[in-house]
Amino acid sequence: MTVRRCGIWRRWRTPLIGIACLSAGCVSSSTTHELSVPPPPVELLGPIETRSANLPVEEIAIPSPLTLDQSLGIALQKHPELAAVSSLIQSAQGQVVQAGLYPNPLVGYRGDQVGSRGAPGGQQGPFISQELVTGGKLQVAQSAAMDAMTATQWQAITTRFNLEAKVRSAFYEVLTAQREVSENEAIVKIAEENLEASRKIEQAGRGSLPDVLRARVELESNKNRLIAARKRLEAAWPLLINAMGLTGVALVPVEGNLESTKPQYDLNSLQRQIAENHSEIKQLQASVAEAEKLLSRARLENVPNLDLQVQPLYDYTESVGQVSFEVGMKLPIWNKNQGNIQSAEAEHLRRIHELENTRLKLNERTIQAYQRYVTAREQAGKFEKDLIPQAKEALRLTKAAFESGDAKYDYTALLDAQRTLAQARLNYVQTLGEFWKATAEIKGLLQQIP
């Protein structure tokens, strides 16, 4: 269509462009949309949201002794996994911006009938072409990108609490190993005292050489267990340092109380809270919402966009200014985006199934952690209330009878009583360690900030 007079174009250009834009659904890219799944609270994101992967984190001095809270704080500040997930969030934010941007116009210069006889200038002038996006495609695409960003934020929450659970478990492994070293050192000290006592008894004529030999064997066996306990501590420490995001840090003592007040959990309550609030569930819910909108976007592809081109030009033949404009669209006859729609439908269904599968996996993890927690709690209670007090009383009675010269309680009986108490205390420490590691996993599943 060509308008011969510039005045005609000036009169109709605003209504024509306005009608074209309205019919095309032309909207501002800054339009906001309600999220299908709310983003996580800021306090859960913590340092993740503000972390910059481009800036190096300053070196951190490891305090001595090292507490659990200090270990968690260092991990949140130092671990590169959190820097990586921070970059994912920034990338998703960029995708939200990009999804709402309008297509750029095409500008150029056109000349027709240039070099013709009588009027070599022909018809010349600049032109501008703009694709008008119809059907609200940009809004739907940007809304899908916002759901994807929300899913990434929930993924960051999962990363944070999984890391915290890993640090807790590693910390209690070190604390347990450290406590085992202390218990074995006490046992070795008692064994050394027993060897010295057996020598004096043998020299006084009230004992025998076999008693001395048994005491020496007992001492060497306890020393070997002490060496094994120290090796376990040396092996556990690098795992804790690694969980904190560090390497090559020399062993320092850790500070904690394995006998502190034990948290109480109920399986039904745990299952309900985790199924409703866990970040993996929220992440996949946002992912399902994104897939729904991507499916809608694929279906909207059948609504053709409009191509509007406007060209003011000068006709050298008639020495008059003109304006030419064109409006066109692609007709969805052969390509109706069938393949992409089918793919989007399948992806939507896959994410729904993945959500349900994740619920089952979280429930399985909850049950397994709770079973370990209950077993360790009951065993620790048995040691505290029955086994250790009984072993102490047995040692007291055996020692008193042995020192009084009772023939029924020889030196072997005394060693057995001491060995029983020492083993009970070691088993108790190991049980406490298992209890707190199971508790660490439960806290990670609950995703609660202390």
Side-chain angles (χ1 to χ4, degrees):
M1 179 184 300
T2 301
V3 181
R4 288 290 181 180
R5 300 295 179 185
C6 292
I8 298 176
W9 167 245
R10 285 195 296 269
R11 180 183 302 174
W12 289 99
R13 61 185 176 184
T14 302
L16 284 173
I17 294 177
I19 292 171
C21 289
L22 289 174
S23 63
C26 178
V27 295
S28 170
S29 62
S30 62
T31 304
T32 58
H33 309 281
E34 183 178 354
L35 291 174
S36 300
V37 177
V42 175
E43 61 269 17
L44 292 183
L45 282 171
I48 296 175
E49 193 174 35
T50 57
R51 171 183 292 269
S52 175
N54 297 323
L55 297 178
V57 181
E58 62 182 16
E59 292 299 323
I60 299 176
I62 301 298
S64 179
L66 177 67
T67 66
L68 175 58
D69 288 342
Q70 290 169 337
S71 301
L72 292 171
I74 293 172
L76 291 178
Q77 180 182 357
K78 188 71 174 176
H79 206 287
E81 191 173 11
L82 297 182
V85 80
S86 174
S87 297
L88 286 178
I89 293 176
Q90 294 174 13
S91 175
Q93 290 170 341
Q95 291 301 316
V96 172
V97 174
Q98 188 63 36
L101 298 180
Y102 216 76
N104 290 325
L106 173 65
V107 296
Y109 191 88
R110 178 181 296 167
D112 293 332
Q113 301 177 3
V114 177
S116 61
R117 291 182 179 180
Q123 297 175 337
Q124 298 185 38
F127 70 87
I128 181 168
S129 177
Q130 174 68 55
E131 179 184 7
L132 304 177
V133 183
T134 65
K137 297 186 185 76
L138 291 180
Q139 298 97 309
V140 175
Q142 189 174 51
S143 185
M146 292 176 71
D147 282 324
M149 182 182 67
T150 299
T152 303
Q153 290 175 327
W154 283 112
Q155 179 186 352
I157 299 302
T158 300
T159 301
R160 170 190 173 160
F161 283 104
N162 285 349
L163 178 62
E164 288 192 3
K166 185 177 179 181
V167 171
R168 282 194 180 94
S169 181
F171 180 87
Y172 284 119
E173 180 70 19
V174 173
L175 183 61
T176 302
Q178 182 176 278
R179 178 71 175 274
E180 285 185 11
V181 170
S182 299
E183 293 291 341
N184 279 286
E185 287 175 344
I187 292 171
V188 167
K189 184 177 180 180
I190 293 174
E192 290 173 341
E193 294 173 353
N194 287 340
L195 176 59
E196 183 64 24
S198 65
R199 285 173 177 166
K200 290 180 179 180
I201 293 174
E202 192 258 342
Q203 292 172 358
R206 294 191 298 111
S208 62
L209 181 59
D211 290 338
V212 177
L213 294 176
R214 280 195 295 269
R216 184 176 291 115
V217 169
E218 186 73 14
L219 174 60
E220 294 303 319
S221 297
N222 290 328
K223 285 183 177 180
N224 285 337
R225 283 192 285 268
L226 175 58
I227 291 173
R230 286 172 175 166
K231 292 295 183 182
R232 178 185 174 185
L233 176 59
E234 292 173 2
W237 174 253
L239 295 178
L240 172 59
I241 289 301
N242 189 74
M244 293 161 59
L246 307 173
T247 56
V249 178
L251 176 65
V252 300
V254 297
E255 184 179 80
N257 183 11
L258 292 175
E259 285 90 355
S260 60
T261 304
K262 301 176 180 61
Q264 300 292 322
Y265 296 115
D266 173 72
L267 179 58
N268 292 331
S269 178
L270 285 176
Q271 289 175 305
R272 183 176 63 256
Q273 291 182 59
I274 293 170
E276 292 176 356
N277 302 320
H278 198 277
S279 59
E280 287 188 41
I281 300 296
K282 301 291 188 181
Q283 175 187 344
L284 287 170
Q285 287 173 340
S287 180
V288 169
E290 178 199 7
E292 290 175 352
K293 292 169 184 176
L294 291 176
L295 175 57
S296 299
R297 176 63 184 83
R299 289 171 176 164
L300 284 172
E301 196 65 26
N302 280 325
V303 181
N305 293 340
L306 296 180
D307 289 321
L308 175 64
Q309 179 172 302
V310 178
Q311 181 184 18
L313 53 85
Y314 187 80
D315 190 338
Y316 287 91
T317 303
E318 301 184 8
S319 299
V320 65
Q322 300 178 356
V323 174
S324 172
F325 70 90
E326 297 177 2
V327 177
M329 68 177 66
K330 293 180 181 179
L331 295 179
I333 298 177
W334 319 120
N335 179 2
K336 298 182 180 180
N337 209 37
Q338 304 97 312
N340 288 333
I341 291 174
Q342 179 180 340
S343 178
E345 288 174 342
E347 178 62 17
H348 179 222
L349 188 60
R350 184 194 68 81
R351 295 189 189 187
I352 291 175
H353 292 321
E354 186 179 359
L355 172 59
E356 295 306 315
N357 188 45
T358 299
R359 290 185 192 274
L360 293 176
K361 287 183 177 180
L362 283 173
N363 191 51
E364 180 182 6
R365 288 174 55 191
T366 302
I367 293 172
Q368 291 174 346
Y370 183 78
Q371 288 174 341
R372 292 194 296 273
Y373 155 81
V374 169
T375 300
R377 185 186 64 184
E378 291 177 351
Q379 289 179 345
K382 190 72 173 175
F383 277 112
E384 291 171 355
K385 296 178 181 179
D386 298 326
L387 298 181
I388 291 179
Q390 291 176 10
K392 287 181 177 179
E393 181 64 13
L395 175 60
R396 186 187 69 80
L397 293 175
T398 301
K399 186 176 182 180
F402 174 76
E403 291 175 349
S404 67
D406 190 333
K408 293 187 296 182
Y409 295 92
D410 59 5
Y411 192 72
T412 301
L414 179 61
L415 289 178
D416 287 341
Q418 289 177 339
R419 189 183 302 113
T420 299
L421 176 58
Q423 190 61 49
R425 290 186 62 85
L426 280 174
N427 290 341
Y428 174 54
V429 169
Q430 293 168 354
T431 300
L432 288 175
E434 292 302 316
F435 171 84
W436 287 111
K437 285 190 285 186
T439 300
E441 185 170 358
I442 291 175
K443 287 183 176 181
L445 289 167
L446 284 174
Q447 297 183 330
Q448 295 175 340
I449 297 178

